[in-house]
Amino acid sequence: MQVRRVFFSVLVAALLPVFLGPIGCVHRRPAPPLPPLDSVRPVAPAGEYRIQSGDILRIKFAYHHAHDVKLPVRPDGKIALDVTGEIQAAGLTARELEQEIARRASETLREPEVTVIVAELAQQKVYVGGEVRAPGFVAYRPGLTPMQAILDRGGFTDTARIDSVLYITPGEEEYRALRLDLTDVVEHGASEPVTLGANDVIYVPRTFIGDAGTFVRLYIRNLLPIPTRVGLVP
């Protein structure tokens, strides 16, 4: 038995370099081409569903049925209940929203028990505009990246500045603009730094954008469904 173990160990040690190849040479391999749409690795794994603007919520109070309600999440991500006032719902899970409503409602109701059901999902989309071959909406899906959204709209035009792509995402009080350099993604198949959310906007300019927030305010604010205030993500 001991002889067999020694023989197996020697055999593995001899064959391992054949299968793995010279590790020291990995960095000299040519950069891979841009991966196909379905194989791009998402930055963040999909987790428990988080409420989005436009979702229809059914909110039930176990012992206070007069306060039961069915209502949509507003475009700003908030809902308004008579026993709590306005609450930021977008971005929370149903369980987190239940806890927040119960906490706020406890100021006027005795030991409220709350159930939140996402009755209907909003029609979730991402808008892709600017220097892409077919500007328009892309159906949102968890893990969607800017490059995937751009490829869904036909890819870049010849005049696109891939080093200055604008990623515009809604915040609680304003939309925020972030400039993305997708050069390594296009040329080397690098992983993307962000994934998109529902109602985000990707805008591909034809010139370099130095100040993303100013560009949005001056040039595309009136072309997209975004609020007046636009900040620059640090």
Side-chain angles (χ1 to χ4, degrees):
M1 180 65 70
Q2 184 66 25
V3 173
R4 291 183 178 178
R5 291 178 179 175
V6 172
F7 175 77
F8 181 77
S9 298
V10 172
L11 181 63
V12 171
L15 294 179
L16 192 60
V18 176
F19 290 103
L20 296 183
I23 296 176
C25 296
V26 172
H27 69 280
R28 292 197 293 270
R29 293 175 182 172
L34 184 65
L37 183 62
D38 293 337
S39 67
V40 178
R41 180 176 63 85
V43 175
E48 185 177 359
Y49 179 76
R50 293 189 175 275
I51 295 167
Q52 303 284 341
S53 296
D55 287 350
I56 305 296
L57 305 181
R58 187 183 299 277
I59 301 173
K60 297 182 177 181
F61 292 80
Y63 306 111
H64 306 87
H65 295 298
H67 299 293
D68 291 353
V69 66
K70 182 178 180 181
L71 77 174
V73 181
R74 299 184 330 215
D76 61 1
K78 297 180 180 180
I79 59 174
L81 305 178
D82 56 356
V83 293
T84 63
E86 291 190 343
I87 294 180
Q88 181 68 32
L92 301 180
T93 65
R95 178 58 178 164
E96 290 170 342
L97 184 56
E98 288 172 357
Q99 294 172 342
E100 179 61 15
I101 293 174
R103 185 186 68 82
R104 298 271 294 272
S106 64
E107 298 177 4
T108 56
L109 302 179
R110 182 178 179 180
E111 298 181 355
E113 292 186 16
V114 181
T115 300
V116 173
I117 300 171
V118 182
E120 298 177 30
L121 296 179
Q123 187 177 23
Q124 300 178 336
K125 296 180 179 180
V126 168
Y127 180 77
V128 183
E131 296 302 303
V132 294
R133 300 194 182 279
F137 287 98
V138 172
Y140 169 75
R141 56 188 181 272
L144 180 67
T145 67
M147 194 66 219
Q148 289 175 333
I150 291 168
L151 291 176
D152 274 1
R153 302 311 306 174
F156 295 108
T157 66
D158 294 337
T159 56
R161 283 298 298 257
I162 63 175
D163 62 344
S164 195
V165 175
L166 291 183
Y167 167 38
I168 306 170
T169 183
E172 291 187 7
E173 297 182 358
E174 61 182 23
Y175 272 65
R176 299 170 294 169
L178 172 66
R179 186 177 61 247
L180 302 177
D181 185 347
L182 298 182
T183 303
D184 283 344
V185 178
V186 174
E187 296 182 356
H188 306 298
S191 298
E192 298 184 60
V194 298
T195 53
L196 303 177
N199 304 316
D200 284 352
V201 174
I202 292 295
Y203 185 85
V204 182
R206 66 173 59 191
T207 58
F208 181 80
I209 305 301
D211 186 328
T214 299
F215 182 84
V216 171
R217 283 193 297 268
L218 293 179
Y219 298 104
I220 66 175
R221 183 184 65 187
N222 295 328
L223 301 179
L224 301 173
I226 59 177
T228 300
R229 298 180 58 195
V230 179
L232 179 63
V233 175

